[in-house]
């Protein structure tokens, strides 16, 4: 038989009981749609997390003071908690050549006022490398110069949200604002970054020189002289990050006179480890979602096999007649395999359409990120074809092995 004859015969057989054909295809439709939606959600989530951790920097270390509790759970004093100093920053810069940028920082929150506009925001007291470490660029105005840092100048650089709340569409550069009770001159504004990976507004911030923050904004916090609340650094080569971390820890233990076996009074966070952990977790989640969705596809394939076996049983006499007029086992096998393939392909096509629509609806109305790509759709189409071939072969083979005489005797 020609391929066109086999196809025409298969279509005629499926149309003869179209409701059963539709219900049989439903399992494949649901399976393919589930694969597309689940895998798209998994890949979208992974892309979102990759974007979030990329903003943290894969060549960066963050150093924070210790846990702030002494032995027996007694809380340490404020002066003993802030164990990092500007001297530590200078030592890291001078003694560890792998470090590209390093900066200490102080931080706090306050009210900022310009004319009748009032806004509550956070401030950062920074050193020069802070902007390079965190990827901040100046949108308008100028960055701080060396004299601003050394003389504790009352200049401030505004994040985009603060600028918008105080000045609307104007830059505000050159204007005088009041931070707490202290007047500051706006020397520049930062380019907008938008929402951070944890949902925070990255632009709701102000930058002042570190010494300015220490003398004019900290108030009565009781920090030791020269203390900083955080130290951040980057290395030029990501391969040096692990080595640099070990060197930093050894240097700080030496400077802080921490003996062997004693607990560190600081903690070092390696961003690249967070990146690797989150990436592995998301990839595993994507595989899990795909596996769960594939179960629906297997169930749909079993449904096709079941219906095709029923069809063989119902059409034993028809098979006997075909063989009696010259059809061989190969022709019979191809006919039933074509019917199974048609069921699978029709279900696959409808499943792809429904899956794409479902993924788009999740992206539009749900809180989950979705990443649709052609590879997922091609994979779904391949699964559809494989389902028809795999689950349709056994019924087709069983039909081709029937004895023509016994088949004609069947009632």
């Amino acid at each position: 038989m020609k391929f066109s004859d086999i196809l025409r015969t298969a279509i005629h057989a499926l149309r003869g009981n179209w409701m059963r054909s539709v219900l049989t295809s439903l399992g494949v439709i649901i399976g393919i749609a589930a694969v597309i939606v689940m895998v798209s959600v998994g890949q979208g989530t992974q892309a979102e997390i990759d974007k979030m951790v990329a903003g943290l920097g894969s060549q960066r270390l963050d150093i924070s003071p210790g846990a702030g509790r002494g032995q027996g759970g007694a809380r340490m004093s404020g002066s003993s908690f802030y164990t990092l100093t500007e001297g530590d920053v200078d030592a890291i810069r001078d003694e560890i050549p792998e470090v590209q940028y390093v900066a200490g920082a102080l931080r706090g929150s306050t009210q900022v006022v310009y004319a009748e506009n009032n806004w509550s925001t956070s401030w950062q007291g920074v050193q020069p490398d802070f902007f390079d470490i965190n990827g901040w660029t100046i949108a308008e105005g100028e960055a701080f110069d060396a004299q601003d840092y050394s003389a504790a100048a009352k200049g401030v650089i505004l994040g985009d949200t603060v600028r918008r709340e105080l000045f609307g569409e104007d830059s505000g550069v050159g204007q005088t604002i009041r931070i707490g009770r202290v007047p500051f001159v706006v020397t520049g504004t930062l380019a907008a970054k938008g929402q951070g990976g944890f949902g925070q507004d990255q632009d709701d911030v102000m930058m002042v020189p570190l010494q300015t923050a220490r003398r004019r904004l900290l108030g009565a916090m009781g920090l030791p002289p020269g203390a900083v609340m955080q130290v951040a650094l980057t290395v030029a080569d990501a391969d040096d990050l692990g080595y640099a971390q070990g060197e930093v820890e050894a240097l700080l233990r030496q400077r802080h006179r921490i003996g062997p076996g004693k607990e560190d009074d600081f903690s070092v966070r390696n961003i690249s480890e967070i990146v690797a952990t989150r990436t592995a977790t998301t990839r595993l989640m994507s595989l899990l979602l795909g596996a769960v969705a594939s179960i629906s596809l297997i169930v749909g394939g079993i449904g096709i096999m079941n219906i095709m076996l029923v069809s063989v049983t119902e059409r034993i006499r028809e098979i006997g007649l075909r063989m009696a007029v010259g059809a061989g086992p190969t022709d019979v096998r191809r006919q039933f395999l074509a019917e199974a393939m048609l069921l699978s392909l029709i279900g696959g096509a409808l499943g792809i359409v429904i899956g794409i629509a479902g993924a788009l609806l999740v992206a539009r109305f749900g809180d989950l990120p979705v990443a649709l790509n052609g590879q997922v759709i091609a994979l779904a189409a391949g699964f559809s074809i494989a389902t028809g071939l795999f689950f349709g072969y056994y019924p087709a083979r069983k039909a081709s092995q029937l004895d023509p005489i016994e088949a004609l005797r069947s009632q």
Side-chain angles (χ1 to χ4, degrees):
M1 293 178 68
K2 296 180 180 179
F3 176 76
S4 58
D5 295 332
I6 295 175
L7 186 60
R8 184 168 58 251
T9 304
I11 293 173
H12 178 76
L14 295 179
R15 287 179 59 188
N17 200 335
W18 66 271
M19 180 59 72
R20 186 170 70 182
S21 300
V22 170
L23 293 176
T24 303
S25 298
L26 194 59
V28 178
I29 293 172
I30 294 173
I32 293 294
V35 166
I36 292 176
V37 173
M38 292 294 190
V39 174
S40 296
V41 169
Q43 290 187 343
T45 303
Q46 182 169 348
E48 193 71 17
I49 290 180
D50 288 345
K51 179 182 176 182
M52 177 184 72
V53 296
L56 297 176
S58 58
Q59 299 173 210
R60 169 174 174 161
L61 295 176
D62 285 324
I63 310 168
S64 304
R69 290 183 179 273
Q71 295 182 355
R75 182 172 296 277
M76 299 167 66
S77 67
S79 60
S80 59
F81 174 79
Y82 293 106
T83 56
L84 299 176
T85 67
E86 292 182 57
D88 293 331
V89 176
D90 295 336
I92 292 172
R93 180 183 296 110
D94 296 337
E95 299 184 31
I96 304 178
E98 288 78 14
V99 172
Q100 182 182 27
Y101 300 112
V102 59
L106 297 170
R107 56 183 178 270
S109 59
T110 188
Q111 293 290 123
V112 55
V113 179
Y114 173 74
E116 71 278 2
N117 298 324
N118 190 324
W119 185 248
S120 178
T121 187
S122 61
W123 54 263
Q124 297 261 16
V126 302
Q127 293 182 311
D129 287 353
F130 183 89
F131 294 91
D132 291 307
I133 293 171
N134 293 277
W136 286 110
T137 57
I138 301 297
E140 297 187 56
E142 297 178 351
F144 301 131
D145 57 28
Q147 186 175 355
D148 292 329
Y149 288 107
S150 61
K154 292 192 291 185
V156 61
I157 298 176
L158 304 180
D160 190 64
T161 297
V162 182
R163 176 202 60 78
R164 190 171 58 251
E165 293 294 334
L166 295 182
F167 301 102
E169 298 302 319
D170 295 334
S171 68
V173 174
Q175 300 295 327
T176 299
I177 63 175
R178 193 171 75 251
I179 301 177
R181 298 181 179 180
V182 183
F184 280 77
V185 175
V186 178
T187 63
T189 61
L190 297 170
K193 279 191 176 183
Q195 191 177 53
F198 299 97
Q200 79 279 15
D201 183 0
Q202 298 182 93
D203 301 316
D204 193 5
V205 69
M206 303 179 298
M207 309 292 182
V208 299
L210 182 66
Q211 296 306 324
T212 304
R214 188 184 309 281
R215 299 179 189 179
R216 306 183 187 279
L217 298 180
L218 279 179
M221 287 190 64
L223 265 68
V228 293
M229 296 177 178
Q230 184 185 24
V231 176
L233 65 88
T234 60
V235 294
D237 188 344
D239 294 336
D240 292 333
L241 191 61
Y243 174 78
Q245 179 175 354
E247 291 294 294
V248 166
E249 291 172 348
L251 176 62
L252 291 180
R253 287 182 63 86
Q254 177 186 356
R255 287 183 53 81
H256 296 184
R257 295 182 173 83
I258 300 174
K262 298 294 184 179
E263 186 179 359
D264 293 341
D265 61 357
F266 60 90
S267 60
V268 180
R269 186 177 65 165
N270 189 332
I271 301 298
S272 65
E273 294 176 357
I274 300 175
V275 172
T277 301
R278 294 201 177 209
T279 300
T281 302
T282 348
R283 186 177 295 113
L284 181 62
M285 184 61 65
S286 298
L287 292 174
L288 178 62
L289 291 175
V292 170
S294 298
I295 293 175
S296 302
L297 196 57
I298 294 173
V299 172
I302 293 173
I304 290 178
M305 179 185 287
N306 181 49
I307 292 301
M308 292 307 300
L309 287 171
V310 172
S311 179
V312 170
T313 302
E314 293 176 345
R315 296 160 62 187
I316 290 179
R317 193 171 177 81
E318 174 192 330
I319 296 169
L321 284 172
R322 289 185 181 278
M323 289 183 170
V325 298
T330 301
D331 297 322
V332 174
R333 185 167 59 247
R334 286 176 178 174
Q335 177 190 340
F336 279 88
L337 195 57
E339 292 179 21
M341 288 290 295
L342 272 177
L343 286 173
S344 182
L345 288 174
I346 292 171
L350 291 174
I352 288 173
V353 172
I354 294 173
I356 293 174
L360 293 176
L361 287 174
V362 170
R364 183 175 179 85
F365 299 107
D367 295 329
L368 296 174
V370 173
L372 266 175
N373 61 59
Q375 290 182 344
V376 174
I377 297 173
L379 182 65
F383 266 117
S384 175
I385 297 172
T387 299
L389 283 172
F390 183 80
F391 290 100
Y393 180 77
Y394 175 72
R397 182 172 177 272
K398 183 177 181 181
S400 68
Q401 291 177 337
L402 289 174
D403 184 270
I405 298 174
E406 295 296 328
L408 286 172
R409 287 178 179 175
S410 179
Q411 299 296 327

